[in-house]
Amino acid sequence: MKSFYSKGQRRFQSERGGAWRSGLVGASTLAGLFSLPVCAQQPGPPPTSIVVQPGAPGQPTSILPPSTRATLPPGSSADVQFMQGMIMHHAQAVEMTALIASHTTTKELRSLAARIGHSQSEEIKFMKRWLTARGDPVSPAMPEMPGMDMSMQPMLMPGMLTPVQMKALKRAKGAEFDRLFLTGMIQHHNGALIMVKDLFDTAGAGQDAELFNFATDVDSGQRAEIRIMQTMLREKPL
């Protein structure tokens, strides 16, 4: 009985050991299978950054080192003066459009003035940000002249309405206001076109990409608005 039990026990242990080893091999195989997708999904090293510098018209682009950092282009005093002057220029246009609500009931003029006032207010914010980013003041330095009250002699950019013209506009109502507003704003817009032309006629000015895009937008936008205002004057003489 003892011999039979020993043989049976050994056979049972052998079979159990074989089953255990088979199970271990199977588990190892499954673990290996499940681990394959995980290994395949492990991220590799990050790609190397490439900095591309566009070439001049007709010239190829250049590949710069990954350590290259963006820098603001060298400034031009003409660029700064243009932005400072255009802030004052736009500010008067916004002041003019603020009179619309209480001085006229003409629907077309109200719509146009609202568009001008909004766009030029947003452009003033842009110009101030542009100047501040470069460490320049948003207002030009006012020259001091002995015996002159500068508060009575405001600096006027091309096309800006004089104090007399602004006073007449503020006094007018109805059709008279409409006429003065349209003729005054056409004068105002033409002045902005002169400022843009003077900028681009200055050597070394207008090279900054943001300023270039802004100035060309001012030119095209105000030319379009001049045509609209001229049409309004022709269709409804005031």
Side-chain angles (χ1 to χ4, degrees):
M1 177 67 70
K2 180 178 178 182
S3 174
F4 176 80
Y5 175 79
S6 298
K7 291 181 180 180
Q9 185 181 33
R10 285 196 298 270
R11 185 175 63 182
F12 173 75
Q13 290 175 341
S14 175
E15 291 176 352
R16 186 176 63 175
W20 179 81
R21 285 191 295 272
S22 299
L24 180 60
V25 171
S28 300
T29 303
L30 288 174
L33 291 174
F34 281 114
S35 66
L36 287 175
V38 176
C39 294
Q41 293 175 5
Q42 293 300 317
T48 303
S49 299
I50 298 177
V51 181
V52 179
Q53 181 182 42
Q59 299 297 320
T61 59
S62 302
I63 304 299
L64 303 179
S67 58
T68 303
R69 294 293 180 267
T71 57
L72 293 173
S76 164
S77 59
D79 292 348
V80 173
Q81 292 167 9
F82 171 79
M83 290 297 218
Q84 292 172 338
M86 194 61 80
I87 288 173
M88 291 192 297
H89 201 272
H90 275 30
Q92 189 183 66
V94 173
E95 182 183 358
M96 292 170 67
T97 60
L99 299 171
I100 288 289
S102 57
H103 287 64
T104 185
T105 58
T106 304
K107 182 179 178 181
E108 294 81 1
L109 189 57
R110 281 174 170 257
S111 177
L112 174 66
R115 185 171 66 190
I116 293 174
H118 175 74
S119 64
Q120 299 211 10
S121 294
E122 292 301 308
E123 288 173 356
I124 287 173
K125 295 177 184 177
F126 162 75
M127 290 186 283
K128 288 182 176 180
R129 287 196 302 268
W130 188 92
L131 289 166
T132 301
R134 287 156 179 77
D136 294 305
V138 298
S139 300
M142 301 294 288
E144 295 185 6
M145 299 184 66
M148 178 177 290
D149 184 356
M150 298 305 295
S151 64
M152 301 300 293
Q153 300 288 334
M155 182 182 292
L156 297 179
M157 298 295 108
M160 287 182 66
L161 274 61
T162 65
V164 173
Q165 287 178 300
M166 283 297 296
K167 187 175 181 180
L169 183 65
K170 292 176 180 179
R171 285 200 309 259
K173 295 283 186 178
E176 176 66 7
F177 174 85
D178 293 356
R179 182 184 67 81
L180 290 177
F181 180 90
L182 288 170
T183 55
M185 193 61 80
I186 290 172
Q187 169 190 320
H188 205 272
H189 277 25
N190 277 320
L193 301 183
I194 292 173
M195 293 174 67
V196 173
K197 182 179 184 301
D198 289 344
L199 173 72
F200 290 133
D201 284 347
T202 303
Q207 301 302 307
D208 177 89
E210 284 189 306
L211 182 142
F212 177 85
N213 291 335
F214 168 71
T216 52
D217 285 347
V218 167
D219 186 271
S220 60
Q222 300 210 8
R223 286 183 189 277
E225 290 172 353
I226 286 172
R227 291 192 292 269
I228 292 172
M229 291 186 285
Q230 289 173 336
T231 299
M232 292 175 69
L233 284 171
R234 284 196 304 267
E235 293 179 349
K236 186 179 179 181
L238 303 170

